[in-house]
Amino acid sequence: MRRMNKTLAAAAAAATVLGLTACAQTAGASAPAPQAVVNAQNQNNIQVQSQEEVKVVPDKAEVSFAVSSQAADPKSVQDLNSTDVNKVIGFLKSSGIDEKSIQTSNFGLQPIYDWNDGQKITGYEMRTGIVVSDIPMDQVGTLLTSSIDAGINNIDRISYLSSKYDESYQEALKKAVESSKVKAEAMAAASGKSLGEVTNVQEISSYNENRYTTYAADSATGSLEAGAKQIAIEPGQISITAQVTVTYSIK
């Protein structure tokens, strides 16, 4: 019995040693990275966020058109829509639009229902989207007006952009960093400290859609035909925004 007790005691001691070893390994695996510890200890800094914008007059536009066709059966509507789309593309090219600036997209085919007759299918409609990019601003109004006669029966949106976007964004970045210093100086002074050097600058990227200002258009055929001679383009200005996070040392 004593031998058995000694054996059990030895096994328990071994298990305890193994358990302590495992705990030590687990604790070592979950320990924070050295960089995280350093950051936690480094409290002599101020971090601020700043956002600035630069307004610029657009000089280009992107227009999303669509051609909708209707026929009695799917094959007929496909043939009709193909003919209508080819006519529109031919018009765009003859208007001086570069072929590389014309893109067809958003093909759709769906039945037309008569809901008053038990959901009866009375025909089919096919819709093909056409995106035209890099249009000079002085040509947008004329293009929109003439496109109606060419077979365009939907204008989904007009997007304005500027060829000076990159340099304007850099200007906005510079202004954001400068304004961050003003904030940091005020915070340091209120804390009885003085502002030191910049220790870190981080750009907060934004979705590229901010590059555009988009206006939806009435896509109803009747509305387009009635207003074809009244289309006027007033792009105004677009806002180019930059946002940064800047960290300063304080002393």
Side-chain angles (χ1 to χ4, degrees), residues 86-171:
N86 289 335
K87 179 182 177 183
V88 169
I89 292 177
F91 156 74
L92 293 172
K93 291 180 179 179
S94 66
S95 299
I97 302 297
D98 193 319
E99 184 175 358
K100 294 181 293 185
S101 298
I102 304 172
Q103 181 184 46
T104 55
S105 61
N106 300 326
F107 299 94
L109 175 64
Q110 60 184 9
I112 301 173
Y113 294 99
D114 183 355
W115 299 98
N116 297 321
D117 191 14
Q119 198 175 343
K120 178 181 178 181
I121 296 178
T122 59
Y124 290 85
E125 180 178 26
M126 187 168 186
R127 189 179 192 274
T128 300
I130 302 174
V131 179
V132 184
S133 57
D134 298 326
I135 308 172
M137 284 306 308
D138 58 356
Q139 298 180 18
V140 178
T142 302
L143 182 66
L144 292 176
T145 302
S146 303
S147 66
I148 309 303
D149 295 332
I152 292 289
N153 46 22
N154 294 269
I155 300 178
D156 293 334
R157 69 179 184 273
I158 305 171
S159 301
Y160 300 124
L161 61 152
S162 172
S163 59
K164 296 182 178 179
Y165 173 82
D166 291 335
E167 59 188 83
S168 298
Y169 181 71
Q170 292 171 11
E171 182 182 350

Side-chain angles (χ1 to χ4, degrees), residues 7-22:
T7 303
L8 291 173
T16 302
V17 172
L18 290 174
L20 290 174
T21 304

Side-chain angles (χ1 to χ4, degrees), residues 43-47 184 187-189 191 193-197 199 248-251:
Q43 298 178 359
N44 294 321
N45 56 49
I46 291 178
Q47 186 179 79
M187 293 171 65
S191 304
K193 303 285 187 177
S194 60
L195 199 63
E197 300 292 330
T199 60
Y248 296 86
S249 64
I250 54 175
K251 51 190 178 180

Side-chain angles (χ1 to χ4, degrees), residues 168-250:
S168 298
Y169 181 71
Q170 292 171 11
E171 182 182 350
L173 275 175
K174 181 180 178 181
K175 292 175 65 176
V177 173
E178 291 172 349
S179 64
S180 73
K181 184 177 181 180
V182 175
K183 292 181 180 180
E185 285 177 338
M187 293 171 65
S191 304
K193 303 285 187 177
S194 60
L195 199 63
E197 300 292 330
V198 174
T199 60
N200 186 54
V201 180
Q202 187 175 29
E203 175 192 11
I204 303 176
S205 59
S206 58
Y207 185 54
N208 285 338
E209 187 178 359
N210 290 338
R211 182 171 183 166
Y212 303 94
T213 301
T214 302
Y215 296 89
D218 186 353
S219 60
T221 305
S223 297
L224 289 178
E225 291 175 349
K229 298 183 181 303
Q230 302 176 12
I231 296 177
I233 300 300
E234 295 293 342
Q237 293 180 314
I238 56 177
S239 296
I240 300 174
T241 304
Q243 187 174 4
V244 296
T245 298
V246 186
T247 305
Y248 296 86
S249 64
I250 54 175

